[in-house]
Amino acid sequence: MEHSYFTLKGQISLAFLKKRNFTGSYREMRYNLFIKDDQLIAATYPQPYCWECTPEEQKTCQSFEVSNDGLDAAVAWLNEAYEKNFA
């Protein structure tokens, strides 16, 4: 059964991501969304540290197309990552 733990509707746009990263957290999971090399990257990592202070081996990343569909898929992936690794 697929759960939707959180949604970012109305909180983020592609125009925002083209200018800066979007970071946040949901319970024990921190996440980062950013655009790199014409790909939308969604990443998860554990609390308590920020992105820059978290060791690379603790980060999990997935690439998506830079589009509204890609952003929706990235949020769905974040929910799946939460279910798999943090719930």
Side-chain angles (χ1 to χ4, degrees):
M1 178 181 196
E2 183 178 316
H3 294 324
S4 183
Y5 295 99
F6 64 97
T7 178
L8 299 178
K9 293 280 188 203
Q11 296 182 40
I12 189 170
S13 68
L14 290 176
F16 179 91
L17 286 174
K18 289 178 180 178
K19 294 181 180 186
R20 62 182 320 156
N21 292 14
F22 182 83
T23 60
S25 64
Y26 181 77
R27 299 187 180 166
E28 301 85 21
M29 181 183 83
R30 288 182 170 261
Y31 57 87
N32 191 359
L33 293 165
F34 57 95
I35 295 175
K36 181 179 179 183
D37 300 328
D38 295 323
Q39 291 287 307
L40 171 60
I41 310 296
T44 64
Y45 54 104
Q47 296 273 13
Y49 302 114
C50 67
W51 176 257
E52 293 80 11
C53 294
T54 300
E56 290 299 316
E57 62 271 8
Q58 292 183 6
K59 299 174 184 176
T60 303
C61 301
Q62 181 68 39
S63 300
F64 301 90
E65 67 179 44
V66 179
S67 68
N68 287 324
D69 288 341
L71 184 54
D72 290 343
V75 172
W77 180 82
L78 290 173
N79 279 292
E80 291 171 13
Y82 176 79
E83 175 74 23
K84 181 179 177 185
N85 300 310
F86 297 94

